[in-house]
Amino acid sequence: MAETKENYDLTPRVAPNLDRHLVFPILEFLQERQLYPDEQILKFKIELLNKTNMVDYAMDIHKSLYHTEDAPQDMVERRAEVVARLKSLEEAAAPLVTFLLNPNAVQELRADKQYNLQMLKERYQIGPDQIEALYQYAKFQFECGNYSGAADYLYQYRTLCSNLERSLSALWGKLASEILMQNWDIALEELNRVKEIIDSKSFASPLNQVQNRIWLMHWGLYIFFNHENGRTQIIDLFIQDKYMNAIQTSAPHLLRYLATAFIVNKRRRPQLKEFIKVIQQEHYSYKDPIVEFLACVFVNYDFDGAQRKMKECEEVIVNDPFLGKRVEDGNFSTVPLKDEFLENARLFIFETYCRIHQRIDMGVLAEKLNLNYEEAERWIVNLIRTSKLDAKIDSESGTVIMEPTQPNVHEQLVNHTKALSGRTYKLVTQLLEHSQGQAAR
Amino acid sequence: MATIASLLASTRNPFPCFRQPLYPGSRSLVFRRYLEPCGRRTPTVPRFIRACQPSEKVGGDGGGVSASAKSYHFGNELLSFASDNFLPLALVTGVGMGFANPSLGCLADKYSLSKFSTCGIFIISGLTLRTEAIGAAVKGWPLGIFGLASILLLTPSFSRLVMLFQLQPQELVTGLGIFCCMPTTLSSGVALTHLAGGNSALALAVTVASNLLGILTIPFWVSRYIAGGVGVSFPTDQLFRSLIVTLLIPLIIGKVIRETFKGFANFVDNNRKLFSRMNAICLSLVPWVQVSRSRSLLLSVEPKVFLAAIGIGILLHLSLLAFNALSIRILSGLSGDYNSKNSKGNGTAVLLVASQKTLPVMVAVVEQLRGAFGEPGLLVLPCVAAHLNQIMIDSILVNVWLRKSNASSTDGGSDSEDESDIEEEIQEVQNNDINNRYLQDNSDDDDDIDTKRVIKPTKDKRFEEMTHTVEQMKNAMKINDWVSLQENFDKVNKQLEKVMRITEAVKPPTLYIKTLVMLEDFLNEALANKEAKKKMSPSNSKALNAMRQKLKKNNKLYEEDINKYREAPEVEEENEPEDEDDDDEEDEDEFEDDDSKEAVTDEEVDETTDTRWETMLNKKDKQMEKLLSKDPKEITWDWVNQKFKEIMAARGRKGTARFDLVDQLTHLTKIAKTPAQKLEILFSVISAQFDVNPGFSGHMPIKVWKKCVLNMLTILDILVKYTNIVVDDTIEPDENETSKPADYDGTIRVWGNLVAFIERIDTEFFKSLQSIDPHTREYVERLRDEPMFLALAQNIQDYFERMGDFKAAAKVALRRVESIYYKPQEVYEAMRKLAELVEEDEEAEDAEEESGPISSFIVVPEVVPRKPTFPESGRAMMDLLVSLIYRNGDERTKARAMLCDIYHHALMDNFGTARDLLLMSHLQDNIQHMDISTQILFNRTMAQLGLCAFRVGMITESHSCLSELYSGQRVRELLAQGVSQSRYHEKTPEQERMERRRQMPYHMHINLELLEAVHLIGAMLLEVPNMAANSLEARRRVISKNFRRLLEISERQAFNAPPENVRDHVMAATRALTKGDFQTAFEVLNSLEVWRMLKNRDSILEMVKARIKEEALRTYLFTYSSSYESLSLEQLAKMFDVTEAQVHSIVSKMMINEELHASWDQPTRCIVFHEVQHSRLQSLAFQLTEKLSVLAESNERAMEARTGGGGLDLSSRRRDNNQDYAGAASGGGRWQDNNMNSGYGGRQGNNRSGYGGRPGQPRDWSGQNRGGGYAARAGSGNRGGMQMDGSTRMVSLNRGVRA
């Protein structure tokens, strides 16, 4: 079982698309789940930290890893170096920082960026060098693990920065900081900001743009599965053609999260069909229990298979750093998403099952739904009561009898013609626009 | 001239004797007396004549040798004379006999002997006519045309002059006038030309043509000049027939005999003399018969008048001769090749033929005139005489020429020449022509005589003779005539004996040794050149072999001398008394310069001497030899550069032999002074090699191709070794750029374009494969050269990469990609192994080549590996190359590489990857903007993709890949695997040629049968349930039009024969499947031959079987659902041999998609069918809505077309996403700009699902059926809908209509 757990672990595929600092939460999670030996994870952590400035943290890990009290020499040296560099950057950024700390002075800033730069230069002798220094300082802060400081400075930097590239970079930094500080609301805002820039900016090469999108989606995973509105957001973001293409070309493993979101989220049912098509196309390049579950239900109508997959899904969800978030409830912890997922998955099966049956044995149904007989009966009665299901239970023979659902002819006709008027209207407006455009020319 | 005059005098002597038959002492009487008893023409006749002839003959000439002549062996003298003057003698004999005994001649005439003799002459002509001679005749066409004009147009006007004479009776003159208008003689002209050694083929041609044309012109001229405008009827077809019978047919018979019996041809060639004698005899029959016939008439005419008429006749002929000779001289002077041997032969032929007039035609004409101009007999009479005259005169002339040509060749101080020498010469010349035994015997005797009368100039004379013979040998060498070469060689040996005896030397003269050396070289050359040897006529090659043995034996005797000579020829050279022409002198000068320099290596001396002797061999090669003979020390950069310029200037000029050019340049590369220069010249060598085969049609000879590749490798060697040399074709380099030495510091720029060269080499390789018959060994051999090319390409690519020119490297990489993309792993493996093997062979060959005598100045070690290195798998190699191209290539290179990449992925059964690549590159959208060969590649890729999809079991995808390919009947054409005939569209030859040039070589073909099978099976699997499902609907959805059509055809048949081809099989399977009989369907398909072409055949068949079951189940349900209220799962599973789970899944899908109005009854495990019946109004309403949406759709499309597809949000959204996607895949470039029409798709979802029908649409390169694309696309649209979900079904249905 351990093996399959590892097989379903996406960390190796997700990590390359994340910032170093963003990997830590995943590692923490893995450590907690005990999927890998502690030692391995700790080593990996040190390796990660080597390139950051969180030397103290690295030293701690080192100590716990090798059970010694002595930090290796190079770490000590590096610490000194980092501190020195921090100092020098602090000095360089000092004028601007002091200015920003002064609330009176900050009030002088206006919405006009050009004016601000002018003003800073004339009155405070703060030029582009200092602004640049601020950025460096913020970056350094971030690397040292001081995310809140970094977030603040980056925010201010952005108001003063004139370089678009840098500004984007600052945005990314801000987003990372907010994620790491778990300020999901702000993070979501930042995420949308980054997305806007990515979509509007012209990149040097389209490949670059795709890469940016993929980063964005990966980073967004933190937010989507923590923010209360995230599950809708993730569908809205991922199902967009541009992003879906990016997923298909470079990061098919993201389909897992999207699939989960679809199952869990009832509001985005219409897009599900589209997603099913994608799944069909991608089944050769990526396999995942959650995705396969959808395929079983909606492509192959293999309900036994779906049920088997459901069990695997449970496993996957629990072990996924993004999906398997625990909530400590008193003494025992639950994974809320898991329960939600199972409930909805059951519903999926049931719905589809009902669609093609006119009479179902309750026992079989219970089995299919992973419930016992009573539970199943209650469940169905609930569904009928909330008028989600047009059926009756024949208690004597222990079957559920579906009401025949022949679509009304009238309804069908309306459905077919509904879109026509809209289309025609659009066509006419367009024609008018076009002729006007020509006339203007 | 003196000799001619004397000869004329001497031969005219016999003629008057006709008129004075009664003089007892005259020679003619002697003739008659001696001729009478024999009365039969046998080859021995002349002997008798000769017996009494010599004294008068020689005495008549008034030569001063009579005294010594007496001492000659009497019989020999006679024989030689007779053989010299065989023709005149024979003629005279004929005339004499005619007079003496007309009865025999009349008898002969009765049996139309003259006709037979004419036939005989032409048969002999045909027999002796060599095929080469026909070529010569064709070459002599200007003169031939002149001859025709002269005969038919010019000479008739001489009749005006003739008519000026007044004679009693006037008929004699009129007859001569008519005679003037005649065409040339049938027999004598050709025979005489043959004897004179002229171009008898040309004479033949002129004779035949003029006689045939003459039939048309004669009436015109006769009426114009003779009758003063009175129309003359003319027995056209009678004449025509008789001409054909006597002229053409014998000629053809003769030629046919010669061609069919090789031995006979040899016999003829070896006995030319015999045949020319037979010719002469046939010829002499004509006057004999004529004289016999008209003897009485002759005798009745007053001798004086008749004499005058004869005089006029002679005058006429002489003036004709003079006129023609003059015109020919002027003509050949104009054309500028007066001196060449060929033109002399042609001149002779035309002169003789044009000056003669035919008698038989004249007689026929006169008979037809029926006395319009007087007594026919009188009209004919002078003409008979004139006819005899001209034969006599010309035969004398011919003899004179023969003598003169021999005499002139020995000329020098001809004053001292005596008669006997001339005769000897003639004898020898004739010796050359024919290896005549009895004459050869004589020569020994002659020698005895000669040695007896040793006089001072004899030594010189003997030398001259020898020189002359050597000259002749050289001539023979030039035309590769081994027969004469062999004869001359024998002669030279004989002469050598004489010379040795005279000079009393122990050592043979240098001239002789020189000849031997020369012969040896030439012989070796000829033996080496195997192809030429094959082409030789059998007699020639026989002579060659004989010569080889003789020479070998002979040279052993003189081995020492030869070696000595080879080492130091110049010592002897100085003693050489001969004069050489200017060129040679120049050579000599250079040569002596060489001597003065002492530091010359032995090897090089050898080289120079060898080549020096070749100088004499072949004037054509002179320039080349000059290059070779240049002393290495003297060669400077300037000199080489100048030479190089000279040679390059000759390039492309008319008359420059392309091979020679290559050779010359190749040599120049060896003596180039600087690496840069060598490089420059090497480039020219390669371009010259490309030139070897002009035009597009043929391919470069394989040998040249290989050399070309080697040259390219050498270039690379230089470039790699001297890194400061840069090849560039953009800037015009400095004139003296290449003079910079190897150690020059800065960069040296040399003009050249490696990429263009490698592409050309590749193209030539491709072309050669196109034109070689794929079923021969040759093809396989040729395929083996591929690693060679790959090695070269690899090296060039490496070089470019090192130089940082990645663009060029990408282009070269593309060539490499294109030569491996179609190879499955097995083939790739085989090639890899072959490349390693080849390498070993090559090395051996290289070593041999290196040890050759010529070493170049700039020796470049083989820096560049000669062996291609291959990664383990073809995929790895493709990845390597393709990624390089994606990074650096230009648009087209990238597109092609992408296609190759896709093809290869498909070949490896990676359907997903291949499909993704195709979609990402957006090649389907803009392929129609690309060049044709790329479109073909695209088609091939699609076909392969279709096969791949089938192999992995994706029937829908497979079918959509292939359906477009099969939409027209032009699969072959689209895949460039053959030319298909179109019924409606005639192709111009130009188009056809273009098409042929595009063809794929056989080894790259995609098996069409397999392709068809896959396509049809795919169509069947999709179409059969589809037909079943929609059988009741008013409007049918069609998935595969092609399949439907075939099905209709097969349904129309009253009886179905057992299936033969793929199509029949699939149709038979279809019939079974429609009934739900999956077993039969599968068995029929299983019996197809094509399956053996698949690698994992069993699994694929398994897949096919599973699919068939599934579709059979679906069909069954569609067809029979209305007959059931309910149907149990178990029963279905049993019926179709499928597991229950599968049945459940399939049926559920159908229910969900609303294809089947039914639902499961779970407890009883059966399907319950619902009956849904629309009322009439309802169904009409549905139809209405459908039509409405069609309308809306078409409006949108019209709008889009108008506005450029910008407006509708649906399509614009998709375009954005396309753009993006493309970028992601191709990493830049302009792919995304070409998506103008990609918005049409009308499908929901992202563009991946849009994959289905897109493929074919652009493949429209001949500009026909442009609309096809939409159909396919629409089809795919609704297929997507059908599979996915029920609710969108109607919409997608509507989309189907759009097309």
Side-chain angles (χ1 to χ4, degrees), chain A residues 206-207 210 213 241-242 244-245 248-249 273-274 277-278 280-282 284 299-301 303 352-353 355-361 364 399 406 409 412-413 416-417 420 423 426-427 430-431 434, chain B residues 912 915-916 920 1145 1148-1149 1151-1152 1159-1164 1168 1170 1172 1174 1178 1181-1182 1185 1188-1189 1192-1193 1195-1196 1199 1203 1207-1209 1213 1217 1220-1221 1223-1224 1246-1249 1284 1290:
Chain A
L207 201 63
V210 168
R213 289 203 173 114
D241 281 338
K242 289 169 192 170
M244 183 50 79
N245 287 336
Q248 286 178 318
T249 32
K273 268 164 197 144
E274 233 168 278
K277 280 183 205 164
V278 175
Q280 265 183 304
Q281 276 169 10
E282 292 304 320
Y284 72 94
V299 181
N300 299 328
Y301 305 98
F303 300 102
T352 321
Y353 202 70
R355 250 181 100 184
I356 55 172
H357 283 79
Q358 78 170 23
R359 208 151 63 99
I360 311 165
D361 188 79
V364 178
T399 53
Q406 272 306 311
V409 176
Q412 279 182 28
L413 282 177
H416 290 160
T417 43
L420 277 178
R423 275 161 77 184
K426 205 172 278 169
L427 195 68
Q430 213 185 5
L431 195 67
H434 184 64
Chain B
R915 182 196 59 184
D916 284 359
M920 285 192 262
S1145 167
S1148 303
K1149 210 183 282 179
M1151 290 172 181
I1152 293 273
S1159 51
W1160 290 103
D1161 188 48
Q1162 201 264 332
T1164 51
V1168 181
H1170 310 293
V1172 188
H1174 288 302
Q1178 280 165 344
F1182 273 116
T1185 55
L1188 277 176
S1189 33
E1193 194 95 8
N1195 273 341
E1196 273 173 18
M1199 183 66 199
T1203 58
L1208 298 176
D1209 64 341
R1213 202 182 77 198
N1217 106 53
D1220 214 305
Y1221 208 142
N1246 66 67
N1247 56 359
R1248 281 218 175 192
S1249 63
M1284 296 322 147
M1290 289 303 266

Side-chain angles (χ1 to χ4, degrees), chain B residues 17-18 28-29 31-42 45 49 89-106 108 113 281 284-293 295 388 392:
Chain B
C17 73
F18 289 138
S28 62
L29 197 62
F31 277 137
R32 258 167 56 200
R33 282 217 187 113
Y34 277 91
L35 284 169
E36 260 168 3
C38 48
R40 202 170 296 152
R41 256 140 259 273
T42 58
V45 174
I49 308 168
L89 288 177
L91 282 175
V92 169
T93 316
V95 172
M97 271 177 55
F99 267 109
N101 192 354
S103 59
L104 201 65
C106 290
L113 187 72
I281 289 164
S284 65
L285 284 177
V286 177
W288 175 51
V289 172
Q290 291 291 349
V291 169
S292 309
R293 254 177 75 186
R295 180 168 169 268
L388 293 176
M392 291 288 177

Side-chain angles (χ1 to χ4, degrees), chain A residues 55 58-60 62-63 68-76:
Chain A
V55 192
M59 280 176 171
D60 288 347
H62 187 266
K63 281 171 197 162
T68 57
E69 282 302 311
D70 308 322
Q73 193 57 36
D74 56 333
M75 280 194 185
V76 177

